[in-house]
Amino acid sequence: VSGDSRLAGYSESELQRVGADANLGLGCGNPTSFANLLKGETVVDLGSGAGIDCFLAADKVGPTGQVIGVDMTPDMVHKARDNVSKRPDSEHVQFRLGEIEHLPVADNSADCIMSNCVINLSPDKAQVYREMYRILKEGGRIAISDVVNRPSMVLPEALKTAEALAC
């Protein structure tokens, strides 16, 4: 997790496009960079925060697509909805209050599910994956950027730099 979102894989143009109000600097990657989003798709973002990944996804799926951000905190949902109101090209983006273990999304409705450094926070990761499977359309995909803790593994010194940890 880095305060500088460029270290997490966001380009300067992406950061300018979404604006500082949507970027909390809390992610550990850029799932939109490898999600292979297509025009017209439905995307669900787990732990959407203020909306950075949702707004980037909205650009890729276009006005015929749909982006649904899910966050468990009312403050973040309010902030993200406020950010939608500032972006006239984001009518196809919505934010819902909910937990990633119990997604407020219909069965078989998502072409792609994204998550940016959120699944690791869940105490019931298996339930998160069951929910993802439930809402994912047949042939759908997931794009996850997250961290993994393996206490039995020793991280080599060369990988302990901010640049190495940002990938």
Side-chain angles (χ1 to χ4, degrees):
V1 178
S2 168
D4 185 349
S5 295
R6 293 172 297 174
L7 291 175
Y10 296 97
S11 70
E12 191 63 42
S13 66
E14 287 174 319
L15 295 173
Q16 288 177 2
R17 202 163 57 246
V18 299
D21 54 344
N23 177 18
L24 302 176
L26 299 175
C28 59
N30 178 356
T32 62
S33 70
F34 55 86
N36 299 317
L37 300 176
L38 303 172
K39 298 286 184 203
E41 288 190 315
T42 297
V43 179
V44 176
D45 182 24
L46 308 184
S48 53
I52 184 171
D53 294 321
C54 290
F55 295 121
L56 292 174
D59 289 346
K60 294 183 180 202
V61 302
T64 60
Q66 181 181 19
V67 180
I68 301 166
V70 177
D71 203 281
M72 66 180 231
T73 62
D75 288 344
M76 280 297 102
V77 172
H78 177 75
K79 182 174 180 71
R81 288 175 178 166
D82 187 49
N83 288 337
V84 167
S85 70
K86 298 175 190 174
R87 292 172 172 79
D89 59 343
S90 296
E91 299 87 12
H92 58 299
V93 180
Q94 58 181 270
F95 293 93
R96 299 178 184 175
L97 181 64
E99 297 176 348
I100 63 174
E101 296 88 353
H102 308 282
L103 293 167
V105 180
D107 295 357
N108 305 309
S109 60
D111 295 293
C112 184
I113 300 169
M114 302 185 309
S115 179
N116 191 351
C117 218
V118 172
I119 296 173
N120 72 83
L121 302 173
S122 173
D124 192 353
K125 291 163 189 57
Q127 177 61 26
V128 174
Y129 284 100
R130 283 190 293 274
E131 278 294 280
M132 291 169 65
Y133 180 76
R134 178 185 65 78
I135 70 168
L136 201 59
K137 291 179 182 177
E138 185 173 336
R141 62 202 179 282
I142 61 174
I144 299 172
S145 178
D146 218 317
V147 295
V148 177
N149 181 14
R150 297 187 61 190
S152 63
M153 302 286 294
V154 176
L155 192 64
E157 288 300 317
L159 295 179
K160 292 182 180 179
T161 66
E163 291 80 13
L165 292 171
C167 65

